[in-house]
Amino acid sequence: MIKKITAIYGMHDYLFPKTLLWKNIENIIQNILNNYGYQEIKLPILEKSELFNKTIGENTDIIEKEMYTLLDKNKNSLTLRPEGTTGFIRAIIEHNIFYINKRFWYNGPMFRYERPQKGRYRQFNQIGIEILGLKSPYIDAEIIILTNNIWKKLNITENIFLEINTIGSLIDREKYIKKLIFFLEKNLHLLDLKDRKKIYTNPLRILDNNHKNIQKLLINAPKLKNFLNENSIYKFKKLCKILNFMNIKFTINDYLVRGLDYYNDIVFEWKTNNIGTTNSKTICGGGRYDKLINNMSNNKINSGIGCAIGIERLILLVENMKSIKLEIKYLVDIFLIPMENNHILKKILVIGELIRKNFPKLRIVTSYLFKNLKKQIIKANKYKSHFIIIIGQKEIDNSLLIIKDLCLKKQIIIPENKLILHLEKIF
Ligand code: ATP
Ligand code: MG
């Protein structure tokens, strides 16, 4: 008995027609990004581990427990990227392309060793959007408006809501964290073991614990918003005004802090209650990371903002809401069927190539099997074919072709040299 090898836990294959939906969603997003002048950047999936260790924050979930790290044959420590921004900044610094363009996007798989559940996998895909070197709140607004336009195009605006917050500067947060720790220490008995550990490692993450008791406790906790510098408050208010002006609904969530250390000022999440999980899930999260480039190089660029859209969660939402209609009545436009002998296969081959050349968008499938016509038609139907073209010796002798519409069950015979003309009328 041969032992079946299965996919890795938390990593999935995606089959047709889900792949079709996936492509559709990607195309919609990429067209919108193109419309705003963003350029694609392709990045490696594997990076040096130190890249993530130095930038993401040693007490974040990602660094503490989620990284897929391995040694290569030379004992170099490498990590499958858990997120895109750090690799993106690494590439931007390496190629020094700040001054050519400021708006970028990338698309691809990320890896996190998490506990898999609906909408949470160990390999998942993100489309990341990043803007460098621009500080204005209008830029923060642009990213939010752009993502809002994506939801509009996907018909999910009713199923997705925006939460925003400002987390100020690092100095503001340090001051605040001291007070927060003091408060949490006084209420240690109300925290579970996990949160107790976080007090001295990543106390801000306790703020986004959704548990009722924690939320109740936090009502009396010091608030980050009371520790923010004036500039951060000004920029946040300005962003709120722009969003109101653009009719984009949002709520301010004082507890929204995001998972990674490198954020400052504006943070935001687009969330949904409609992907079939008990808690709301974030579809797209992002924020400013003005200090990240400085931290990674001597470069003077001191502003950046970005967000990442989780593609699998977005697909779950679109599927659940049935918000996109896919045309899958036919999967094949023309199915070519040879009758009788080998000589006919050559004819089939030539006709297939001719149609494809004249109609590059049509889906033409050629059968190279000799089965009786009935069986071949059953197969063409299984493939969800619209038309079949049948070629036998008699047709070759008379330079004719049989074309049958499998839906209307209508058949006509045409001269071979009228084929393209005839197809032009149909398609
Ligand atoms: P969560 O709080 O749900 O763990 P996160 O804050 O870790 O999310 P980000 O690092 O901001 O997520 O990633 C951006 C987006 O990527 C998320 O909003 C989500 O849509 C998607 N994402 C993150 N982790 C996963 C995962 N393990 N599986 C599927 N999608 C994910
Ligand atoms: Mg996470």
Side-chain angles (χ1 to χ4, degrees), residues 112 114 119-121 124 126 258 282-285 308 310 313:
R112 296 184 194 174
E114 304 210 54
R120 188 176 298 288
Y121 313 109
F124 60 97
Q126 287 183 340
R258 310 277 304 129
T282 305
I283 299 277
C284 167
R313 287 189 195 174

Side-chain angles (χ1 to χ4, degrees), residues 4 36-37 115 185 234 237 249 325 381 386 413 426:
K4 197 167 76 180
Y36 280 80
R115 196 144 47 119
E185 277 174 336
Y234 167 78
K237 282 189 177 161
K249 288 192 203 109
K325 297 234 163 354
N381 273 316
H386 190 177
I413 298 172
I426 302 176

Side-chain angles (χ1 to χ4, degrees), residues 148-160:
N148 189 52
N149 281 338
I150 295 174
W151 320 140
K152 272 191 202 162
K153 263 270 182 295
L154 295 172
N155 295 320
I156 49 169
T157 37
E158 295 302 313
N159 316 104
I160 196 160

Side-chain angles (χ1 to χ4, degrees), residues 46 99-100 344 426:
L46 208 53
Y99 305 105
I100 303 168
I344 291 172
I426 302 176

Side-chain angles (χ1 to χ4, degrees), residues 178-376:
K178 272 190 198 148
K179 297 278 184 209
L180 182 65
I181 292 177
F182 185 67
F183 171 83
L184 293 170
E185 277 174 336
K186 279 202 298 190
N187 292 285
L188 212 57
H189 57 288
L190 297 171
L191 299 179
D192 62 19
L193 213 62
K194 236 165 100 189
D195 279 345
R196 278 186 206 181
K197 273 191 195 158
K198 280 191 200 154
I199 292 186
Y200 302 106
T201 57
N202 200 351
L204 288 181
R205 273 337 284 258
I206 299 176
L207 300 183
D208 57 19
N209 182 334
N210 281 330
H211 199 279
K212 261 193 213 139
N213 293 344
I214 300 291
Q215 289 299 320
K216 218 165 122 190
L217 171 69
L218 289 176
I219 293 173
N220 298 316
K223 300 277 181 295
L224 177 57
K225 64 179 174 191
N226 299 326
F227 291 76
L228 300 176
N229 67 79
E230 269 180 25
N231 188 32
S232 291
I233 295 171
Y234 167 78
K235 285 193 291 188
F236 186 60
K237 282 189 177 161
K238 182 83 189 163
L239 172 64
C240 295
K241 274 190 188 156
I242 302 169
L243 293 179
N244 282 329
F245 172 71
M246 292 301 287
N247 286 326
I248 294 181
K249 288 192 203 109
F250 62 90
T251 50
I252 297 171
N253 175 355
D254 292 336
Y255 297 136
L256 185 68
V257 288
R258 310 277 304 129
L260 317 179
D261 271 9
Y262 54 61
Y263 285 111
N264 65 281
D265 290 330
I266 307 304
V267 289
F268 65 92
E269 290 191 359
W270 286 100
K271 297 180 175 176
T272 183
N273 291 319
N274 298 106
I275 63 165
T277 52
T278 42
N279 292 336
S280 68
K281 279 268 182 301
T282 305
I283 299 277
C284 167
R288 277 217 159 259
Y289 51 81
D290 293 333
K291 293 283 173 292
L292 186 57
I293 306 177
N294 287 165
N295 291 348
M296 289 170 67
S297 74
N298 296 323
N299 200 291
K300 288 196 194 75
I301 298 278
N302 61 357
S303 54
I305 179 168
C307 69
I309 303 171
I311 300 297
E312 284 84 347
R313 287 189 195 174
L314 190 57
I315 290 176
L316 278 174
L317 180 58
V318 166
E319 276 181 333
N320 262 6
M321 305 325 298
K322 298 189 175 51
S323 69
I324 294 191
K325 297 234 163 354
L326 284 183
E327 182 51 69
I328 47 175
K329 189 171 173 198
Y330 304 114
L331 298 181
V332 170
D333 297 299
I334 303 171
F335 190 82
L336 294 161
I337 298 177
M339 303 298 297
E340 297 130 18
N341 60 38
N342 258 326
H343 167 63
I344 291 172
L345 288 187
K346 280 196 194 130
K347 190 79 195 167
I348 281 280
L349 188 67
V350 171
I351 298 279
E353 289 303 305
L354 179 76
I355 304 175
R356 288 186 190 105
K357 202 173 135 202
N358 281 278
F359 300 91
K361 289 205 172 141
L362 292 190
R363 295 154 297 179
I364 319 292
V365 174
T366 330
S367 161
Y368 295 109
L369 298 174
F370 300 117
K371 286 188 177 156
N372 71 38
L373 186 59
K374 214 170 157 189
K375 277 191 183 156
Q376 299 253 40

Side-chain angles (χ1 to χ4, degrees), residues 41 87-98 104 132:
I41 179 164
F88 162 72
I89 299 292
R90 196 256 325 124
I92 290 291
I93 293 168
E94 212 165 310
H95 301 284
N96 200 20
I97 49 173
F98 309 94
F104 301 87
L132 296 177

Side-chain angles (χ1 to χ4, degrees), residues 58-109:
E58 58 177 334
N59 297 310
T60 56
D61 282 351
I62 289 184
I63 298 296
E64 272 187 347
K65 52 182 192 237
E66 293 176 359
M67 297 240 282
Y68 272 94
T69 295
L70 51 102
L71 290 180
D72 73 3
K73 288 192 195 325
N74 271 333
K75 306 263 183 297
N76 298 310
S77 178
L78 307 176
T79 297
L80 284 167
R81 61 180 182 192
E83 57 102 48
T85 303
T86 36
F88 162 72
I89 299 292
R90 196 256 325 124
I92 290 291
I93 293 168
E94 212 165 310
H95 301 284
N96 200 20
I97 49 173
F98 309 94
Y99 305 105
I100 303 168
N101 184 40
K102 300 196 181 327
R103 292 165 166 85
F104 301 87
W105 65 269
Y106 47 83
N107 179 12

